[in-house]
Amino acid sequence: MTQAKEAFKAMRIFFTGVGGQGTLLATRLVGEAALEEGLSVAMSEIHGMAQRGGVVESSVVVGDVFSPTIPDGEADILMAFEPLEAVRALPKCNPKTMVISSTIPLVPFTVATGQSTYPDVEELRKMTEEKVGRLLWVDAMALAKQAGSDRASNIVMVGILAGTGCLPISKQSWQGALKKILPGRILEVNRKAFELGFKAGEESGK
């Protein structure tokens, strides 16, 4: 059930992923949906070496908070588009934080060239789960493929966030933001991705 707008105060959402995953587009989508709903929004972006698969971090603060930055330990929600990045961003979390994380690793250059190894994904899940209040560990890639494009994983993730009802944003406002941000030729597949994510988010609370 979507949180009542009248009772809503603020929500700090921290996003982390690597270059090419659409982290910033997802961030903008959440911000635009909140604006469509008439909520106050502050956003910030930290671009890493995105063109080389580096870390990309951003944040959206919705409600009565004026700074777009999220200090360590103050994220209400962590959106992690890559499981190792979820663990790296744990300092932003506290024991009440909800984490929505993709389960699919994006292998770094050093792993691809044999200079290092990628951590065990199940261990990453346990490390995350132990530090936060709630973990939604989701194969967003599978849902994106089901929608018709594995590039829509970021929209699946936003759909999951929307489906949890943590933000007082109506389905109409989410749909309005999708239409505003995404070009017509890719809108439909992203709508499908959002809907699949939304359903997964709704079912996570049952």
Side-chain angles (χ1 to χ4, degrees):
M1 180 182 293
T2 301
Q3 183 172 163
K5 191 175 176 181
E6 295 74 17
F8 180 78
K9 293 183 178 178
M11 192 75 73
R12 298 173 178 85
I13 309 169
F14 189 79
F15 297 74
T16 184
V18 299
Q21 289 192 296
T23 305
L24 298 182
L25 178 64
T27 306
R28 185 181 166 205
L29 177 57
V30 174
E32 288 288 350
L35 287 173
E36 289 265 341
E37 194 65 41
L39 298 166
S40 299
V41 176
M43 300 173 60
S44 72
E45 299 175 356
I46 303 171
H47 297 264
M49 296 176 68
Q51 297 300 318
R52 299 182 183 181
V55 179
V56 178
E57 296 177 340
S58 55
S59 62
V60 175
V61 177
V62 181
D64 297 329
V65 178
F66 299 103
S67 173
T69 59
I70 301 176
D72 282 356
E74 295 194 12
D76 297 299
I77 298 172
L78 168 62
M79 297 283 285
F81 295 82
E82 207 280 333
L84 181 56
E85 297 309 322
V87 171
R88 286 179 171 156
L90 284 177
K92 290 289 182 184
C93 302
N94 60 63
K96 294 183 178 178
T97 302
M98 179 176 77
V99 177
I100 301 173
S101 176
S102 170
T103 63
I104 305 301
L106 198 67
V107 176
F109 176 77
T110 52
V111 173
T113 57
Q115 299 173 53
S116 62
T117 57
Y118 193 92
D120 181 78
V121 174
E122 179 58 17
E123 287 300 316
L124 294 175
R125 186 192 67 77
K126 290 179 181 176
M127 290 171 68
T128 306
E129 195 168 46
E130 288 171 356
K131 299 288 185 182
V132 301
R134 184 183 180 193
L135 172 63
L136 303 185
W137 192 249
V138 184
D139 186 348
M141 179 73 77
L143 293 176
K145 287 179 178 176
Q146 188 178 333
S149 171
D150 57 5
R151 294 177 61 83
S153 295
N154 57 339
I155 306 301
V156 169
M157 295 279 289
V158 174
I160 293 169
L161 171 65
T164 64
C166 291
L167 290 165
I169 300 175
S170 66
K171 195 78 172 287
Q172 184 179 6
S173 292
W174 284 112
Q175 294 292 355
L178 276 167
K179 188 174 181 180
K180 185 174 183 179
I181 290 177
L182 295 165
R185 62 186 172 79
I186 61 170
L187 177 58
E188 198 51 40
V189 68
N190 281 287
R191 275 179 171 161
K192 291 178 182 176
F194 178 87
E195 288 299 331
L196 289 169
F198 192 93
K199 185 179 178 183
E202 280 187 316
E203 292 179 347
S204 72
K206 294 180 181 176

